[in-house]
Amino acid sequence: MSFPKCKTLLTILLFPLFTFGQFLKPKPVADGLALLTPYYSDADGDGFGDPAIVVFSSGGAPAGFVADNTDCDPNNPNTFRLGYFYIDADNDTFYDGNPFPVSVCYGADTPSGYVSSIVGSDCDDTNAAVNPNHVEILANGIDDNCDGHIDEIGPYVTLTPTFCGSVLPRVGTDIYATTLAGVTGYRFEVTQGTTVTSFDSDVNHFSLNDLPVAPTYLTTYSVRISARTNGFWRAFGPTICTVTTPRAPIVTQLLTQQCGMNMTNMGNIMYCYQNLSATLYRFELSDGVFPVRTYDSTVNRFVMQNFVGSGRFGTTYTVRVALFIAGVWEDFGPACTVTTPPLPELSRVIDSQCGMSISNSWTTIYTGQILEAEMYRFEVTNGSSIRFYDSPLNRFNLHNLAGAPPAPNTTYTIRVAIMYLGAYLAFGPPCTVTTTAVITRQAEPHNNQFRLNAAPNPFSDSFRMSLDGEVHTPTTVKVYDVFGKLLETLQCEASQTGTLELGSSYKSGVYTLIVNQGEMQQMIRVVKR
């Protein structure tokens, strides 16, 4: 058989050829110097071609043609490929028992009336309410669960007496059924009005949150249970119990302005909205990788250091808060995210000393304390001279520098870097200190003790703490109750202490405040009426 040549297009009507049910696809042919490629009619526009209608072209697929030739139904865009399936005439996902699959032309999804795998044999493929996953219905004369018996009785299970007729403490409370020997599964059928839903479990409990329809507050639900034995679901028990959901919970969450924030440092204080009826706040921290952690506090705030293991840098955490009111933990409120900084913050000489004049070369110069710092490196520049001093403490003095002693009327530029995970990070911004015309070189006595104040004391709502004296380093504040239990830990700059309010959520009683600045410590007791 020969075909007339043409330079660009050759159209041939071919009768389909079959080899074990598969179409033979013509190979490209040469036409002079051009290589002609076969393309197939796609009349229904489904992207799959009719193997019976082919054209050869060297310039790509003509309009209405595609390179594929596997369309088993060229005139229906919804069916275009062949597959093998088991018959499921009633569409209950259980096949009719015929172990031999049949060839079906279908589209994107498993065709109606078929299943792709065997999950169990249907004893009546004309009735979708009869299959191995169905609960036996008494007195209907039908083998509903396909176990070979009609209207078999029991065994019965029901909700435990504790839950039958109860008001749930919260919507998500686990609801328990009685247990029986030989029972390997529980089907909880829940009815509310005209809505009927169910949940299957291998264990004897579930919660309303497991249902496909979200539960509502102050609503009564009827529950009955079917037991699975020997792989089949038995009839529902005759006992129908009710459970009632509680009132809507009292919830709180992180402040709007902090929800979604990028933290500047691990010491950022995170606040939730305060509830005067709450005696405790439970903060829940999760990152989707490590186990969820919680921290309970008598006040409506936390810092990352309050959690066991603290927080990791460059991590987005989900934070939820629950309230403890009248002896009961309420549900967690809406979730918020906060993202920790990628690395510890850069260190620098504290603001109160940056730019100061010093008359004693032993004057202690402090940098902001960073909890993650393993070491501090102080870089001191004077003209062309650059010297370094490394210390595990966040302070040094000019006499710590090797080489010439501090000179009068001299400006020193200081930068600080911290060591984190064994390596020094970048230096922070520079600060200068200038020595006076007369500079004392005698060791400075340690007389820079500060004084801690709290007012009002006693207090009825809250009090403010303040510090007097020479204070430089960041301040750590710890509050203990009369039994010695640590209630909260805060870190702040000394300049912030005069505006820090404490005690609003404390109960009446005596509390101890311990404030640390470097090696110095002060303690004071406050009383709430």
Side-chain angles (χ1 to χ4, degrees), residues 457-480:
N457 187 20
F459 65 98
S460 56
D461 181 28
S462 62
F463 68 92
R464 290 188 179 185
M465 56 164 286
S466 60
L467 304 176
D468 294 335
E470 187 177 351
V471 291
H472 299 298
T473 61
T475 302
T476 300
V477 181
K478 294 186 178 182
V479 183
Y480 298 84

Side-chain angles (χ1 to χ4, degrees), residues 12 16 127 158 216 241 270 313 364-365 436 443 471 473:
I12 309 168
N127 187 348
T158 183
T216 56
C241 287
M270 310 301 296
F313 289 98
T364 302
I365 299 171
T436 57
V471 291
T473 61

Side-chain angles (χ1 to χ4, degrees), residues 323-344:
L323 301 169
F324 191 70
I325 300 176
V328 176
W329 282 107
E330 298 283 338
D331 289 345
F332 281 102
C336 283
T337 61
V338 296
T339 301
T340 56
L343 290 170

Side-chain angles (χ1 to χ4, degrees), residues 285-315:
L285 192 70
S286 61
D287 63 2
V289 178
F290 293 95
V292 174
R293 293 172 287 168
T294 59
Y295 166 67
D296 295 349
S297 174
T298 59
V299 292
N300 64 322
R301 55 184 176 267
F302 74 93
V303 293
M304 283 294 176
Q305 288 80 13
N306 291 138
F307 291 92
V308 175
S310 189
R312 294 180 295 114
F313 289 98
T315 303

Side-chain angles (χ1 to χ4, degrees), residues 219-509:
T219 304
T220 298
Y221 296 85
S222 298
V223 183
R224 62 177 185 164
I225 309 170
S226 168
R228 184 180 64 204
T229 60
N230 298 322
F232 296 96
W233 293 104
R234 307 308 175 182
F236 283 107
T239 302
I240 299 178
C241 287
T242 63
V243 293
T244 301
T245 53
R247 58 162 174 76
I250 302 171
V251 297
T252 187
Q253 68 178 96
L254 289 188
L255 300 182
T256 301
Q257 58 268 37
Q258 290 189 313
C259 194
M261 75 176 288
N262 292 315
M263 300 171 62
T264 57
N265 62 77
M266 287 295 193
N268 287 151
I269 302 174
M270 310 301 296
Y271 292 86
C272 71
Y273 289 100
Q274 190 176 33
N275 185 293
L276 296 179
S277 299
T279 54
L280 286 172
Y281 297 82
R282 174 165 289 170
F283 298 94
E284 179 194 78
L285 192 70
S286 61
D287 63 2
V289 178
F290 293 95
V292 174
R293 293 172 287 168
T294 59
Y295 166 67
D296 295 349
S297 174
T298 59
V299 292
N300 64 322
R301 55 184 176 267
F302 74 93
V303 293
M304 283 294 176
Q305 288 80 13
N306 291 138
F307 291 92
V308 175
S310 189
R312 294 180 295 114
F313 289 98
T315 303
T316 296
Y317 289 98
T318 298
V319 181
R320 299 192 303 169
V321 190
L323 301 169
F324 191 70
I325 300 176
V328 176
W329 282 107
E330 298 283 338
D331 289 345
F332 281 102
C336 283
T337 61
V338 296
T339 301
T340 56
L343 290 170
E345 61 182 310
L346 297 179
S347 185
R348 58 176 294 170
V349 174
I350 61 174
D351 291 340
S352 60
Q353 289 188 303
C354 197
M356 73 175 180
S357 296
I358 57 176
S359 58
N360 190 308
S361 59
W362 290 92
T363 297
T364 302
I365 299 171
Y366 293 91
T367 181
Q369 188 174 23
I370 298 175
L371 295 180
E372 299 78 21
E374 299 159 9
M375 293 283 289
Y376 294 84
R377 172 165 289 175
F378 298 89
E379 177 198 76
V380 182
T381 302
N382 168 230
S384 61
S385 171
I386 301 177
R387 290 177 286 178
F388 298 92
Y389 175 70
D390 294 346
S391 172
L393 304 176
N394 65 318
R395 57 186 181 270
F396 85 113
N397 59 64
L398 296 179
H399 260 296
N400 291 136
L401 301 173
N409 285 329
T410 303
T411 296
Y412 295 90
T413 300
I414 304 170
R415 297 194 304 170
V416 187
I418 67 165
M419 177 184 287
Y420 174 65
L421 298 180
Y424 278 105
L425 303 182
F427 282 101
C431 281
T432 61
V433 297
T434 302
T435 55
T436 57
V438 177
I439 181 168
T440 303
R441 291 185 173 85
Q442 294 181 348
E444 188 177 48
H446 295 285
N447 59 356
N448 56 345
Q449 185 67 274
F450 63 91
R451 180 180 178 183
L452 172 62
N453 303 299
N457 187 20
F459 65 98
S460 56
D461 181 28
S462 62
F463 68 92
R464 290 188 179 185
M465 56 164 286
S466 60
L467 304 176
D468 294 335
E470 187 177 351
V471 291
H472 299 298
T473 61
T475 302
T476 300
V477 181
K478 294 186 178 182
V479 183
Y480 298 84
D481 65 13
V482 69
F483 302 107
K485 178 184 177 182
L486 178 62
L487 302 181
E488 63 177 321
T489 301
L490 299 174
Q491 284 202 333
C492 57
E493 293 293 333
S495 59
Q496 295 176 295
T497 57
T499 61
L500 187 63
E501 289 196 14
L502 300 169
S504 60
S505 61
Y506 297 178
K507 297 179 180 179
S508 297

Side-chain angles (χ1 to χ4, degrees), residues 41-53 70-81 105:
S41 173
D42 182 21
D44 56 9
D46 59 9
F48 297 83
D50 182 352
I53 303 177
T70 63
D71 198 334
C72 53
D73 191 355
N75 297 312
N76 186 347
N78 297 316
T79 55
F80 45 79
R81 57 180 172 173
C105 184

Side-chain angles (χ1 to χ4, degrees), residues 179-251:
T179 58
L180 287 176
V183 174
T184 58
Y186 300 81
R187 176 168 291 173
F188 299 91
E189 182 188 79
V190 181
T191 302
Q192 199 284 310
T194 59
T195 302
V196 180
T197 55
S198 66
F199 176 73
D200 293 353
S201 175
D202 292 334
V203 293
N204 69 320
H205 58 85
F206 83 111
S207 83
L208 296 178
N209 286 334
D210 292 323
L211 301 175
V213 178
T216 56
Y217 297 106
L218 286 178
T219 304
T220 298
Y221 296 85
S222 298
V223 183
R224 62 177 185 164
I225 309 170
S226 168
R228 184 180 64 204
T229 60
N230 298 322
F232 296 96
W233 293 104
R234 307 308 175 182
F236 283 107
T239 302
I240 299 178
C241 287
T242 63
V243 293
T244 301
T245 53
R247 58 162 174 76
I250 302 171
V251 297

